[in-house]
Amino acid sequence: MVIKGMDSRGWRFFLLVLIGAVTTSCNQKKMTDLEDAIQIPADLTVEKLMENTEEYQLLGRRGKIVFPDRTAEVEYVDEHTMHWKITDKNNAVLQGTERISYVQISEHQFFVNWIENSGFTVSQVIDTKTGAVRAFWSFNDAKSHSGGRSSTFVKGIFEFGQ
């Protein structure tokens, strides 16, 4: 099809406008389908939602994380402060109070990060519903060729304490 007076730039512009209109129409259809697929229970209330969320909250609570070579007793004082006490496999104990970075990822998953005075850095995702903990530890290592630091991923098991 040829339209008199339309050069190649005009055609390109026309095609871009046409593609944009079709894409917008398709996205609107997908959004409508998605909205129709979401089923909200008739008896769902804010109170019920908060009850479930509070059950899994970390802040203001104590817990224990068992790692392969150590056990950590932790208290998440607030969104900025955490106290920890580590007992390793030789029964050596270390403890500290740290300023943390904290964010709730979902109803029962939390990301917590801190840097200890020694430079030991901890980043962990804690799932308080399943108990799964995925941690990333970074530490000073004079033998390392990566800026004098080494790191490792560690799995642990979390449970709430008294």
Side-chain angles (χ1 to χ4, degrees), residues 53-131:
T53 301
E54 286 176 14
E55 177 183 355
Y56 300 115
Q57 285 299 312
L58 280 179
L59 298 181
R61 299 182 73 183
R62 295 175 187 262
K64 179 171 76 171
I65 305 173
V66 177
F67 293 107
D69 65 345
R70 62 193 77 186
T71 299
E73 297 174 43
V74 292
E75 179 183 4
Y76 302 95
V77 178
D78 58 35
E79 67 269 14
H80 303 292
T81 309
M82 178 188 129
H83 181 74
W84 56 269
K85 179 180 170 185
I86 297 281
T87 305
D88 71 14
K89 60 186 173 189
N90 299 320
N91 290 321
V93 176
L94 294 172
Q95 61 183 332
T97 299
E98 307 297 339
R99 179 151 181 85
I100 61 173
S101 297
Y102 168 95
V103 66
Q104 185 168 350
I105 300 169
S106 74
E107 179 182 286
H108 51 84
Q109 292 178 325
F110 304 87
F111 176 81
V112 184
N113 172 268
W114 68 92
I115 302 170
E116 298 173 10
N117 288 336
S118 66
F120 193 89
T121 303
V122 178
S123 298
Q124 49 188 219
V125 175
I126 303 168
D127 188 322
T128 56
K129 186 175 184 179
T130 67

Side-chain angles (χ1 to χ4, degrees), residues 17-80:
V17 170
L18 181 62
I19 290 169
V22 169
T23 303
T24 301
S25 174
C26 290
N27 286 341
Q28 187 62 40
K29 170 80 170 116
K30 288 178 187 174
M31 194 61 139
T32 302
D33 291 347
L34 180 61
E35 288 170 355
D36 291 343
I38 297 173
Q39 298 295 318
I40 299 174
D43 64 340
L44 181 65
T45 63
V46 172
E47 290 79 18
K48 279 188 179 181
L49 189 59
M50 290 307 292
E51 281 176 16
N52 290 340
T53 301
E54 286 176 14
E55 177 183 355
Y56 300 115
Q57 285 299 312
L58 280 179
L59 298 181
R61 299 182 73 183
R62 295 175 187 262
K64 179 171 76 171
I65 305 173
V66 177
F67 293 107
D69 65 345
R70 62 193 77 186
T71 299
E73 297 174 43
V74 292
E75 179 183 4
Y76 302 95
V77 178
D78 58 35
E79 67 269 14
H80 303 292

Side-chain angles (χ1 to χ4, degrees), residues 119-123 135-141 144-154:
F120 193 89
T121 303
V122 178
S123 298
F136 176 78
W137 297 340
S138 173
F139 45 90
N140 295 326
D141 180 358
S144 171
H145 297 291
S146 299
R149 295 187 63 80
S150 289
S151 60
T152 187
F153 284 97
V154 191

